[in-house]
Amino acid sequence: MGSSSDNVKYEYRDHTADIMLHAWGDTTSEAFEQTALAMFNYMVELDSVKDETKTEHTIEVEGHDMNSLLFAFLDEWLFVFSTEFLVCKTFHILEFDRENWKITCKGTGETFDKKKHVSGTEVKAITYSCMEVKEDQEKEERGKTVIYTIVDI
């Protein structure tokens, strides 16, 4: 199931000159979706994105391990925002291939309009700094998969 601002499973943590995204989900796919949602909500208040105006975009990314896959996933969505000005409000991972480290994900939203949308803080880049994907966290209250990653602002 895709992510939306009605079912928030992320928070922001301060980090020197940057921001840490902390997201979680019942599955690794949901945790990835929530991390992308957190990044987009940091750049544009997603409550200002209307559900009835839908533009869809699908990405495919590859990595060589879980962290590189997360990096590629977030980096590609940041590229989509920066080049197409698409503000995604929902994400749905269609395929999560752990054998070949590939993800296919559909994002849905609308084109950024400064008259309509509330701008947040620009995310300049994704980093590997403090990046963690913790799976099967049975004792974690928030979800079975927990993600921490720092983005450069």
Side-chain angles (χ1 to χ4, degrees):
M1 184 166 136
S3 304
S4 74
S5 60
D6 296 335
N7 192 17
V8 174
K9 293 184 177 182
Y10 62 82
E11 66 185 4
Y12 305 108
R13 294 183 172 191
D14 289 330
H15 188 271
T16 308
D18 294 317
I19 193 73
M20 177 179 280
L21 306 178
H22 173 213
W24 53 91
D26 292 332
T27 65
T28 303
S29 291
E30 183 184 24
F32 269 60
E33 293 165 353
Q34 288 291 324
T35 305
L37 192 62
M39 181 178 73
F40 270 84
N41 192 57
Y42 200 75
M43 297 185 295
V44 178
E45 287 184 21
L46 293 181
D47 288 341
S48 65
V49 177
K50 304 299 178 216
D51 291 327
E52 62 271 3
T53 315
K54 291 186 179 179
T55 300
E56 293 181 351
H57 187 90
T58 301
I59 65 164
E60 294 180 15
V61 297
E62 296 181 31
H64 61 271
D65 61 14
M66 192 64 76
N67 283 357
S68 66
L69 191 58
L70 176 61
F71 182 96
F73 176 74
L74 294 174
D75 194 50
E76 186 65 20
W77 280 120
L78 182 58
F79 179 78
V80 168
F81 176 76
S82 299
T83 59
E84 299 180 28
F85 309 107
L86 178 63
V87 181
C88 291
K89 187 173 182 173
T90 62
F91 295 91
H92 181 69
I93 292 183
L94 306 170
E95 179 184 9
F96 198 116
D97 180 348
R98 291 169 173 274
E99 187 173 314
N100 298 302
W101 299 111
K102 293 182 182 180
I103 289 180
T104 302
C105 180
K106 178 175 71 174
T108 306
E110 62 186 15
T111 303
F112 179 77
D113 180 347
K114 64 181 178 182
K115 295 176 186 171
K116 180 175 162 182
H117 299 114
V118 179
S119 293
T121 302
E122 176 188 10
V123 171
K124 296 177 187 173
I126 311 306
T127 74
Y128 278 103
S129 179
C130 300
M131 183 179 282
E132 286 186 86
V133 179
K134 296 180 177 183
E135 296 182 278
D136 300 321
Q137 300 296 300
E138 293 298 331
K139 294 180 182 176
E140 177 66 41
E141 294 175 12
R142 294 182 169 162
K144 291 188 176 187
T145 300
V146 178
I147 293 176
Y148 298 92
T149 190
I150 293 175
V151 294
D152 182 24
I153 56 174

PDB file of all heavy atoms in Angstrom, residues 2 19 23 25 37 44 60 72 77 112 129 135 138 140 142 151:
ATOM      1  N   GLY A   2       0.497   2.231  -0.770  1.00  0.00           N
ATOM      2  CA  GLY A   2       1.272   3.458  -0.851  1.00  0.00           C
ATOM      3  C   GLY A   2       1.172   4.281   0.411  1.00  0.00           C
ATOM      4  O   GLY A   2       0.328   4.052   1.264  1.00  0.00           O
ATOM      5  N   ILE A  19      19.705  17.348   8.016  1.00  0.00           N
ATOM      6  CA  ILE A  19      18.540  16.805   8.716  1.00  0.00           C
ATOM      7  C   ILE A  19      18.540  15.283   8.573  1.00  0.00           C
ATOM      8  O   ILE A  19      18.874  14.762   7.515  1.00  0.00           O
ATOM      9  CB  ILE A  19      17.209  17.421   8.199  1.00  0.00           C
ATOM     10  CG1 ILE A  19      16.037  17.113   9.125  1.00  0.00           C
ATOM     11  CG2 ILE A  19      16.903  16.998   6.783  1.00  0.00           C
ATOM     12  CD1 ILE A  19      16.064  17.884  10.411  1.00  0.00           C
ATOM     13  N   ALA A  23      12.392   7.001   9.445  1.00  0.00           N
ATOM     14  CA  ALA A  23      11.109   6.465   8.985  1.00  0.00           C
ATOM     15  C   ALA A  23      11.010   5.001   9.359  1.00  0.00           C
ATOM     16  O   ALA A  23      12.019   4.346   9.616  1.00  0.00           O
ATOM     17  CB  ALA A  23      10.985   6.642   7.473  1.00  0.00           C
ATOM     18  N   GLY A  25       8.261   1.233   8.997  1.00  0.00           N
ATOM     19  CA  GLY A  25       7.113   0.589   8.383  1.00  0.00           C
ATOM     20  C   GLY A  25       7.034  -0.864   8.788  1.00  0.00           C
ATOM     21  O   GLY A  25       7.995  -1.433   9.311  1.00  0.00           O
ATOM     22  N   LEU A  37       8.466   9.916   1.405  1.00  0.00           N
ATOM     23  CA  LEU A  37       7.416  10.834   1.832  1.00  0.00           C
ATOM     24  C   LEU A  37       7.977  11.889   2.783  1.00  0.00           C
ATOM     25  O   LEU A  37       7.667  13.084   2.660  1.00  0.00           O
ATOM     26  CB  LEU A  37       6.297  10.047   2.501  1.00  0.00           C
ATOM     27  CG  LEU A  37       4.981  10.756   2.766  1.00  0.00           C
ATOM     28  CD1 LEU A  37       4.345  11.199   1.464  1.00  0.00           C
ATOM     29  CD2 LEU A  37       4.047   9.840   3.533  1.00  0.00           C
ATOM     30  N   VAL A  44       8.277  20.380   0.606  1.00  0.00           N
ATOM     31  CA  VAL A  44       6.981  21.023   0.320  1.00  0.00           C
ATOM     32  C   VAL A  44       5.959  20.440   1.292  1.00  0.00           C
ATOM     33  O   VAL A  44       5.868  19.224   1.431  1.00  0.00           O
ATOM     34  CB  VAL A  44       6.514  20.730  -1.128  1.00  0.00           C
ATOM     35  CG1 VAL A  44       5.150  21.352  -1.389  1.00  0.00           C
ATOM     36  CG2 VAL A  44       7.525  21.211  -2.147  1.00  0.00           C
ATOM     37  N   GLU A  60      12.740   3.398 -11.652  1.00  0.00           N
ATOM     38  CA  GLU A  60      13.406   2.114 -11.453  1.00  0.00           C
ATOM     39  C   GLU A  60      14.838   2.425 -11.052  1.00  0.00           C
ATOM     40  O   GLU A  60      15.520   3.196 -11.726  1.00  0.00           O
ATOM     41  CB  GLU A  60      13.389   1.282 -12.730  1.00  0.00           C
ATOM     42  CG  GLU A  60      12.001   0.850 -13.135  1.00  0.00           C
ATOM     43  CD  GLU A  60      11.987   0.011 -14.405  1.00  0.00           C
ATOM     44  OE1 GLU A  60      13.067  -0.470 -14.823  1.00  0.00           O
ATOM     45  OE2 GLU A  60      10.901  -0.148 -14.979  1.00  0.00           O
ATOM     46  N   ALA A  72      20.001   5.276  -3.969  1.00  0.00           N
ATOM     47  CA  ALA A  72      19.553   5.436  -5.360  1.00  0.00           C
ATOM     48  C   ALA A  72      18.069   5.800  -5.419  1.00  0.00           C
ATOM     49  O   ALA A  72      17.650   6.639  -6.230  1.00  0.00           O
ATOM     50  CB  ALA A  72      19.831   4.161  -6.147  1.00  0.00           C
ATOM     51  N   TRP A  77      14.230  10.119  -6.684  1.00  0.00           N
ATOM     52  CA  TRP A  77      13.048  10.942  -6.395  1.00  0.00           C
ATOM     53  C   TRP A  77      13.434  12.415  -6.250  1.00  0.00           C
ATOM     54  O   TRP A  77      12.683  13.300  -6.673  1.00  0.00           O
ATOM     55  CB  TRP A  77      12.297  10.439  -5.161  1.00  0.00           C
ATOM     56  CG  TRP A  77      11.430   9.257  -5.474  1.00  0.00           C
ATOM     57  CD1 TRP A  77      11.503   8.016  -4.927  1.00  0.00           C
ATOM     58  CD2 TRP A  77      10.366   9.207  -6.431  1.00  0.00           C
ATOM     59  NE1 TRP A  77      10.547   7.195  -5.489  1.00  0.00           N
ATOM     60  CE2 TRP A  77       9.828   7.903  -6.417  1.00  0.00           C
ATOM     61  CE3 TRP A  77       9.812  10.132  -7.313  1.00  0.00           C
ATOM     62  CZ2 TRP A  77       8.768   7.506  -7.247  1.00  0.00           C
ATOM     63  CZ3 TRP A  77       8.754   9.734  -8.135  1.00  0.00           C
ATOM     64  CH2 TRP A  77       8.251   8.447  -8.100  1.00  0.00           C
ATOM     65  N   PHE A 112       4.721  21.275  -8.872  1.00  0.00           N
ATOM     66  CA  PHE A 112       4.893  22.336  -7.877  1.00  0.00           C
ATOM     67  C   PHE A 112       4.436  23.679  -8.444  1.00  0.00           C
ATOM     68  O   PHE A 112       4.763  24.045  -9.568  1.00  0.00           O
ATOM     69  CB  PHE A 112       6.361  22.434  -7.453  1.00  0.00           C
ATOM     70  CG  PHE A 112       6.605  23.523  -6.450  1.00  0.00           C
ATOM     71  CD1 PHE A 112       6.253  23.352  -5.116  1.00  0.00           C
ATOM     72  CD2 PHE A 112       7.167  24.730  -6.827  1.00  0.00           C
ATOM     73  CE1 PHE A 112       6.454  24.352  -4.189  1.00  0.00           C
ATOM     74  CE2 PHE A 112       7.380  25.736  -5.911  1.00  0.00           C
ATOM     75  CZ  PHE A 112       7.023  25.563  -4.588  1.00  0.00           C
ATOM     76  N   SER A 129      25.906   9.271   5.061  1.00  0.00           N
ATOM     77  CA  SER A 129      26.243   9.531   6.451  1.00  0.00           C
ATOM     78  C   SER A 129      25.160   8.989   7.387  1.00  0.00           C
ATOM     79  O   SER A 129      23.983   9.323   7.243  1.00  0.00           O
ATOM     80  CB  SER A 129      26.419  11.033   6.662  1.00  0.00           C
ATOM     81  OG  SER A 129      26.719  11.318   7.996  1.00  0.00           O
ATOM     82  N   GLU A 135      16.163  -4.066   9.587  1.00  0.00           N
ATOM     83  CA  GLU A 135      15.003  -4.901   9.302  1.00  0.00           C
ATOM     84  C   GLU A 135      14.734  -5.866  10.454  1.00  0.00           C
ATOM     85  O   GLU A 135      15.618  -6.153  11.254  1.00  0.00           O
ATOM     86  CB  GLU A 135      15.231  -5.687   8.018  1.00  0.00           C
ATOM     87  CG  GLU A 135      15.353  -4.786   6.798  1.00  0.00           C
ATOM     88  CD  GLU A 135      15.520  -5.572   5.532  1.00  0.00           C
ATOM     89  OE1 GLU A 135      16.665  -5.982   5.238  1.00  0.00           O
ATOM     90  OE2 GLU A 135      14.497  -5.783   4.853  1.00  0.00           O
ATOM     91  N   GLU A 138      11.792  -6.661  15.850  1.00  0.00           N
ATOM     92  CA  GLU A 138      10.625  -7.121  16.609  1.00  0.00           C
ATOM     93  C   GLU A 138      10.354  -6.261  17.842  1.00  0.00           C
ATOM     94  O   GLU A 138       9.219  -6.084  18.243  1.00  0.00           O
ATOM     95  CB  GLU A 138      10.804  -8.587  17.025  1.00  0.00           C
ATOM     96  CG  GLU A 138      10.810  -9.555  15.860  1.00  0.00           C
ATOM     97  CD  GLU A 138       9.509  -9.578  15.073  1.00  0.00           C
ATOM     98  OE1 GLU A 138       8.436  -9.310  15.647  1.00  0.00           O
ATOM     99  OE2 GLU A 138       9.573  -9.842  13.863  1.00  0.00           O
ATOM    100  N   GLU A 140      11.049  -3.068  18.104  1.00  0.00           N
ATOM    101  CA  GLU A 140      10.780  -1.678  17.711  1.00  0.00           C
ATOM    102  C   GLU A 140       9.279  -1.420  17.774  1.00  0.00           C
ATOM    103  O   GLU A 140       8.486  -2.151  17.178  1.00  0.00           O
ATOM    104  CB  GLU A 140      11.307  -1.421  16.291  1.00  0.00           C
ATOM    105  CG  GLU A 140      11.030  -0.052  15.753  1.00  0.00           C
ATOM    106  CD  GLU A 140      11.746   1.056  16.487  1.00  0.00           C
ATOM    107  OE1 GLU A 140      12.919   0.890  16.848  1.00  0.00           O
ATOM    108  OE2 GLU A 140      11.121   2.102  16.703  1.00  0.00           O
ATOM    109  N   ARG A 142       7.650   1.104  16.555  1.00  0.00           N
ATOM    110  CA  ARG A 142       7.083   1.812  15.416  1.00  0.00           C
ATOM    111  C   ARG A 142       6.934   0.958  14.164  1.00  0.00           C
ATOM    112  O   ARG A 142       6.168   1.290  13.290  1.00  0.00           O
ATOM    113  CB  ARG A 142       7.936   3.035  15.117  1.00  0.00           C
ATOM    114  CG  ARG A 142       7.847   4.026  16.252  1.00  0.00           C
ATOM    115  CD  ARG A 142       8.626   5.238  15.951  1.00  0.00           C
ATOM    116  NE  ARG A 142       8.322   6.262  16.934  1.00  0.00           N
ATOM    117  CZ  ARG A 142       9.064   7.304  17.153  1.00  0.00           C
ATOM    118  NH1 ARG A 142      10.172   7.474  16.484  1.00  0.00           N
ATOM    119  NH2 ARG A 142       8.712   8.192  18.047  1.00  0.00           N
ATOM    120  N   VAL A 151      20.046  13.845   4.950  1.00  0.00           N
ATOM    121  CA  VAL A 151      20.027  14.558   3.680  1.00  0.00           C
ATOM    122  C   VAL A 151      20.673  15.918   3.877  1.00  0.00           C
ATOM    123  O   VAL A 151      20.562  16.536   4.950  1.00  0.00           O
ATOM    124  CB  VAL A 151      18.603  14.694   3.106  1.00  0.00           C
ATOM    125  CG1 VAL A 151      18.037  13.324   2.720  1.00  0.00           C
ATOM    126  CG2 VAL A 151      17.655  15.402   4.060  1.00  0.00           C
TER     127      VAL A 151
END
